[in-house]
Amino acid sequence: EKLDNYDLTPPARMISDFVINDLSNWYIRLNRRRYWGPGNDPSKMSAFLTLYRMQTGVAKLTAPYTPVMSEYIWRELTAPENGQKDNSVHLVSFQVSEEKKILPELEESMDLAQKIVSIGRAARNRKNLKVRQPLHGIMVHISGQNQFAKIRPELSVIMEELNIKEIVEAKELAEIVSFKAKLNFAVAGKRLGGAVKEIAAVLQSLSQAQLRVFLESGEMELDISGSKVKLSPEELEITKLEKEPYAVESDGGVTVALLFGSVIVAVAS
């Protein structure tokens, strides 16, 4: 649809992201042992067939962008059909989505697995722990109800990629991080005027439970001099603070705590 409207950049970025992150850095990495299998091993041949379909599909998608390179890749991968010698990627039908073959639950669980692996590697890098060094395991917290169950089919993949022995669910984010509230004076000052200093002082006395409620609901109501004052997410900034001996980063709802020995390093996303 975007190509039909000559909106070329978004599709190009989607293709690039798929080839680099999903195909090269994920699928091919995870299937290295299958590619090295003996002879015509069924698992090996299935992996190669899937990779072949991905590469020919990408060649079709990139043909409007890189016609010469796409043509070269296509001819290297395919044989002439029905004796035709001039087999060309520019003469075949453009790649279309086969919606019946899309498995949303599998895609969601694999996306979460990729994110957890990425975060776990960030934790290792932060503590200068190479992936080749085996570690005890990780704790994982995912915002939302029953989200951890979605990654159960991919636990073995995560453990292999992070070189760990077990994965445990962290049911409460508070096990790993604490929270601190800070008033955004630039935003709140325009609406609240002279009350901002009193509000800022009240925020310092809020409990961890109250801050967690704000993170879940997006609303905070305070009693200021007998009046009810509501704060929006734009006016109230919540900072996640690392608990010793954790190293914490945040971005988006998934938290990974890397265990090595009796120490945990946490990185959140």
Side-chain angles (χ1 to χ4, degrees):
E1 181 180 341
K2 289 185 179 296
L3 288 178
D4 287 340
N5 294 324
Y6 296 96
D7 187 4
L8 306 182
T9 301
R13 289 175 176 167
M14 292 172 65
I15 295 170
S16 175
D17 180 69
F18 170 76
V19 172
I20 295 174
N21 297 322
D22 295 332
L23 183 58
S24 180
N25 291 342
W26 190 250
Y27 180 78
I28 294 177
R29 271 181 50 82
L30 294 183
N31 288 280
R32 286 173 297 181
R33 290 190 179 90
R34 296 175 70 188
Y35 296 135
W36 298 336
N40 293 326
D41 177 76
S43 178
K44 171 184 175 179
M45 300 312 295
S46 295
F48 272 120
L49 178 59
T50 300
L51 181 58
Y52 169 80
R53 288 174 174 170
M54 294 301 100
Q55 289 179 310
T56 53
V58 169
K60 294 178 184 179
L61 293 174
T62 57
Y65 294 95
T66 55
V68 177
M69 179 59 71
S70 298
E71 179 72 0
Y72 173 79
I73 294 173
W74 179 264
R75 293 199 177 198
E76 288 293 305
L77 290 172
T78 64
E81 298 179 1
N82 301 321
Q84 299 176 357
K85 295 182 179 180
D86 55 347
N87 182 39
S88 171
V89 70
H90 303 293
L91 298 178
V92 298
S93 299
F94 192 70
Q95 187 72 20
V96 295
S97 173
E98 299 181 64
E99 295 186 3
K100 291 183 179 180
K101 295 183 179 181
I102 297 176
L103 303 175
E105 293 182 358
L106 177 59
E107 288 191 357
E108 185 177 8
S109 66
M110 192 59 73
D111 284 343
L112 283 172
Q114 284 181 271
K115 176 174 281 192
I116 291 168
V117 168
S118 176
I119 299 167
R121 287 175 181 161
R124 279 181 169 273
N125 291 338
R126 198 170 189 196
K127 289 296 181 179
N128 296 318
L129 296 168
K130 304 296 183 183
V131 176
R132 64 174 177 270
Q133 178 181 346
L135 298 177
H136 179 67
I138 60 173
M139 295 175 63
V140 177
H141 174 81
I142 307 174
S143 300
Q145 295 293 325
N146 301 319
Q147 293 298 303
F148 187 82
K150 295 179 179 180
I151 66 169
R152 292 191 185 279
E154 318 305 337
L155 292 182
S156 60
V157 171
I158 298 171
M159 287 189 288
E160 181 177 357
E161 285 296 294
L162 291 178
N163 196 8
I164 56 177
K165 298 178 181 178
E166 67 174 351
I167 300 175
V168 180
E169 179 183 11
K171 295 184 178 181
E172 294 293 336
L173 187 57
E175 299 175 29
I176 301 170
V177 299
S178 61
F179 306 98
K180 181 179 180 180
K182 180 181 178 182
L183 190 65
N184 186 335
F185 287 93
V187 177
K190 297 177 182 179
R191 182 172 70 89
L192 303 174
V196 292
K197 290 185 178 181
E198 185 178 355
I199 293 173
V202 172
L203 291 176
Q204 300 304 311
S205 64
L206 295 179
S207 67
Q208 293 291 300
Q210 288 174 302
L211 296 181
R212 287 198 297 272
V213 169
F214 172 74
L215 287 173
E216 294 172 359
S217 66
E219 291 186 355
M220 173 69 72
E221 185 174 84
L222 303 175
D223 188 352
I224 306 297
S225 300
S227 300
K228 298 293 184 180
V229 176
K230 288 187 177 182
L231 298 177
S232 68
E234 292 75 23
E235 295 171 326
L236 180 57
E237 299 175 351
I238 303 295
T239 304
K240 293 179 182 178
L241 303 176
E242 58 188 50
K243 289 183 177 181
E244 293 293 340
Y246 306 154
V248 182
E249 296 178 2
S250 298
D251 178 26
V254 176
T255 302
V256 175
L258 182 63
L259 289 72
F260 50 102
S262 60
V263 182
I264 300 176
V265 178
V267 176
S269 172

